Amino acid sequence: MKANEMTSMQRVLTTLSHKEPDRVPLFLLPTMHGAKELGLSIKDYFSKAENVVEGQLRLRKKYRNDCIYTFFYAPLEIEAFGGEVIYSDDGPPNSGIPFINAIEDIKNLQPPKIKETKALYKVLQATQKLKEAVGDEAPIIGVVMSPFSLPVMQLGFDKYLELMHFHSDLFNHLMQINEEFCVDWANAQLQAGATAICYFDPVSSTTIIPRNKYLETGFQIAKRTISRIAGPTATHFASGKCLSIVDDVSQTGTAVVGTSSLEDIGAMKQACRGKLTILGNLNGIEMRRWSSADVNLIVKETIQKAAPGGGFILSDNHGEIPFQVPDEALMAISEAVHTFGKYPISDF
Amino acid sequence: MDKQTIHSKGFEMALLALDQSKAESIIRKAVGEGSPMDVASKLVSDTLHRIGEAWEDGKLALSQVYMSGVICEAIIDKLLPPASPLRMDQPKMAIGVFEDYHLLGKRIIYSTLRASGFELMDLGGGLKTDHLVRIVQDEKIKILLLSVLMLPSALRVKEVKEKLADAQVKIVVGGAPFRLDNQLWLEVGADACGKDSADALEIVTKLMGEKV
């Protein structure tokens, strides 16, 4: 490390305080790529905490990443509730048929007990071991699915929208259960060593519900939930748009906003300046076929628009890099941020 | 402003307010002035098309598109039951979710097309390549609408297309990976790609016009 070079933690904390660090922090978020590193199938890789620990450490070193990411897969909480997880050889584990068959079943739903649930315990073990390995040198980002977005996998999206619009008592009951679980799950990860929690809330994005519905529902739930999480949070809309609700999102107590590649990053910067740090917004789907020249062009443009003044972390737009994105593209992104992301940002 | 436009504006407002009875009364009034099929294929279809476009432009949210489609489908099903001879004569069409169980996108397109007077089979979710290919061949489907959520599933549409090379079926794809990558549908050999319900209506109407 050079004399004036910051640690990843210093770099991230500086940008979060809306000041310019030594360079733009990079949160490359490959999850399944750890399986490639270890020569394991995706299913085997996620079967043991030790694999994910080794995978994350190798990936961080390889890509000179500024965080450790303890996200296993999206349906982890569904697995904890007793739902089905479907593994694939070349993609993220996915949720199966929703486990709540009839909305009346919500009345009998019980939240999982965290330490007695194998899938969750595995994540806590991985978090603890990763904390032992990196200490305070780099932030460890834990993940929760928001109480408001989890029902997409609990019930199915269509049934959930009908629940939200027409069955307010059952909707509120489900939110109570999910909120208690989400707070406990987030705090357990923080106790295990996570530095911050990424609060995935795609249903709150304006792609999915209009702002007035968000203010009645997802916004209130986020405010209540985030206020009880005993550490910093980042809200991620997983490719959903959020520009028109940035002011509202900033009032939920979150520090960071995960930004879609469908959003104008310059307009996002204007809206977030001084209020929220932007995390984003490289297109993970297109990234699969980016050449080095494409990477340089896109990374430079993103940095020029969003990095001045701090409050910016370069990342993908979804919170999970597709398995099909080749190493070359990820290495090129890392190289580009190390080359063009040094502060003060120049015009190139 | 002509009658159709007045009905359409009022109908759109009723749908976005989730006021099913108001929406139904507008449709019943319109049916008194034309045939049920005309109302479905013009008034309902135009309104849903506008709502779909407004989502694409970021003016409406997906929940509003979905709820509008469901309300329209329920109203039109009363006027034009699935087996009604008044429904249009069309090539066989089906819709399904390829390789997973996230059904919302499929449900929106299904409701939008049925409410616009089209008939289509719902193949459900979790469809795997060989099973899907067999259904298309057995049922002699001519237009296959496939919704996907994950990138690997989107890439495997190519296999479906290759295995159906002799079946004279047009494959129309949609879903998150195709919305985020404009070139992906061409890469997997799909015949068309719809980003929203408005696109789906346009594509299906065009294919129907060509009688596939």
Side-chain angles (χ1 to χ4, degrees), chain A residues 90 162 207-208 283 289, chain B residues 55 62-63 66 156 180-181:
Chain A
D90 58 0
E162 288 167 34
T207 305
I208 306 296
N283 187 326
R289 48 185 169 72
Chain B
W55 178 59
L62 196 64
S63 62
Y66 170 68
R156 271 192 287 278
L180 287 161
D181 184 346

Side-chain angles (χ1 to χ4, degrees), chain A residues 134-145:
Chain A
V134 301
D136 293 328
E137 198 271 318
I140 295 173
I141 312 300
V143 169
V144 294
M145 200 57 66

Side-chain angles (χ1 to χ4, degrees), chain A residues 286-322:
Chain A
E286 286 185 352
M287 201 181 278
R288 190 172 51 92
R289 48 185 169 72
W290 282 353
S291 66
S292 294
D294 293 333
V295 166
N296 284 345
L297 203 70
I298 292 162
V299 169
K300 269 199 278 192
E301 191 187 343
T302 307
I303 284 176
Q304 271 181 336
K305 286 182 175 173
F312 176 62
I313 299 170
L314 186 75
S315 185
D316 78 300
N317 70 319
H318 197 74
E320 185 180 57
I321 305 268

Side-chain angles (χ1 to χ4, degrees), chain A residues 179-201:
Chain A
E179 279 177 45
E180 288 308 310
F181 171 62
C182 180
V183 168
D184 286 351
W185 177 222
N187 288 334
Q189 291 179 72
L190 290 166
Q191 277 166 19
T195 318
I197 296 296
C198 188
Y199 180 88
F200 270 94
D201 197 14

Side-chain angles (χ1 to χ4, degrees), chain B residues 9 13-14 16 22 24 70 89 106 117 136 164 170 206:
Chain B
K9 290 278 176 204
M13 283 169 69
L16 296 179
K22 172 92 178 166
E24 190 163 349
V70 168
D89 178 28
K106 182 211 69 171
V136 171
L164 286 171
K170 298 284 187 194
K206 185 165 174 279

Side-chain angles (χ1 to χ4, degrees), chain A residues 72-85:
Chain A
F72 276 41
Y73 40 80
L76 180 88
E77 282 107 321
I78 293 302
E79 191 175 2
F81 270 96
E84 183 190 18
V85 173

Side-chain angles (χ1 to χ4, degrees), chain A residues 8-295:
Chain A
S8 290
M9 185 72 90
Q10 290 167 334
R11 188 170 295 126
V12 172
L13 290 175
T14 306
T15 210
L16 287 177
S17 60
H18 299 272
K19 290 180 184 146
E20 295 186 350
D22 55 346
R23 71 159 166 80
V24 169
L26 173 66
F27 277 17
L28 211 47
L29 302 176
T31 55
M32 298 160 278
H33 288 70
K36 277 188 195 171
E37 287 297 314
L38 271 62
L40 296 172
S41 70
I42 290 170
K43 187 173 184 179
D44 286 345
Y45 177 69
F46 287 120
S47 69
K48 285 186 186 163
E50 292 76 11
N51 295 340
V52 176
V53 171
E54 183 61 25
Q56 278 295 310
L57 292 174
R58 286 197 202 179
L59 292 172
R60 177 162 185 250
K61 191 173 174 193
K62 185 172 186 177
Y63 303 127
R64 293 180 286 166
N65 204 13
D66 284 309
C67 75
I68 292 284
Y69 191 44
T70 57
F71 180 60
F72 276 41
Y73 40 80
L76 180 88
E77 282 107 321
I78 293 302
E79 191 175 2
F81 270 96
E84 183 190 18
V85 173
I86 299 173
Y87 287 89
S88 150
D89 292 335
D90 58 0
N94 200 352
S95 55
I97 296 169
F99 66 90
I100 300 178
N101 295 316
I103 59 167
E104 288 73 24
D105 295 347
I106 289 169
K107 290 177 193 158
N108 303 318
L109 192 66
Q110 294 292 326
K113 291 193 169 64
I114 287 159
K115 291 201 171 148
E116 294 169 19
T117 307
K118 201 176 155 194
L120 303 180
Y121 186 64
K122 212 164 34 182
V123 175
L124 295 179
Q125 275 185 309
T127 307
Q128 203 169 357
K129 287 177 195 299
L130 284 161
K131 180 68 181 173
E132 285 162 20
V134 301
D136 293 328
E137 198 271 318
I140 295 173
I141 312 300
V143 169
V144 294
M145 200 57 66
S146 82
F148 185 57
S149 291
L150 190 61
V152 170
M153 292 184 282
Q154 290 175 310
L155 278 162
F157 216 148
D158 48 353
K159 265 194 212 160
Y160 179 44
L161 287 177
E162 288 167 34
L163 178 85
M164 194 191 296
H165 286 92
F166 301 127
H167 305 276
S168 57
D169 287 353
L170 284 171
F171 169 77
N172 290 332
H173 185 68
L174 182 60
M175 290 307 112
Q176 249 177 11
I177 293 168
N178 286 354
E179 279 177 45
E180 288 308 310
F181 171 62
C182 180
V183 168
D184 286 351
W185 177 222
N187 288 334
Q189 291 179 72
L190 290 166
Q191 277 166 19
T195 318
I197 296 296
C198 188
Y199 180 88
F200 270 94
D201 197 14
V203 178
S204 283
S205 89
T206 51
T207 305
I208 306 296
I209 58 168
R211 178 173 178 259
N212 59 352
K213 194 72 185 167
Y214 167 63
L215 290 178
E216 266 174 39
T217 55
F219 172 70
Q220 305 294 344
I221 292 157
K223 266 209 306 193
R224 285 198 299 266
T225 307
I226 289 172
S227 70
R228 293 170 62 203
I229 295 177
T233 56
T235 299
H236 209 304
F237 295 101
S239 304
K241 289 186 177 181
C242 64
L243 177 60
S244 59
I245 54 168
V246 158
D247 285 343
D248 307 317
V249 173
S250 73
Q251 288 173 44
T252 62
T254 198
V256 180
V257 61
T259 302
S260 173
S261 61
L262 301 171
E263 211 84 85
D264 176 343
I265 195 86
M268 272 300 283
K269 182 69 179 181
Q270 289 297 323
C272 292
R273 196 185 296 276
K275 284 185 281 204
L276 289 168
T277 289
I278 294 172
L279 176 76
N281 71 339
L282 305 179
N283 187 326
I285 302 290
E286 286 185 352
M287 201 181 278
R288 190 172 51 92
R289 48 185 169 72
W290 282 353
S291 66
S292 294
D294 293 333
V295 166

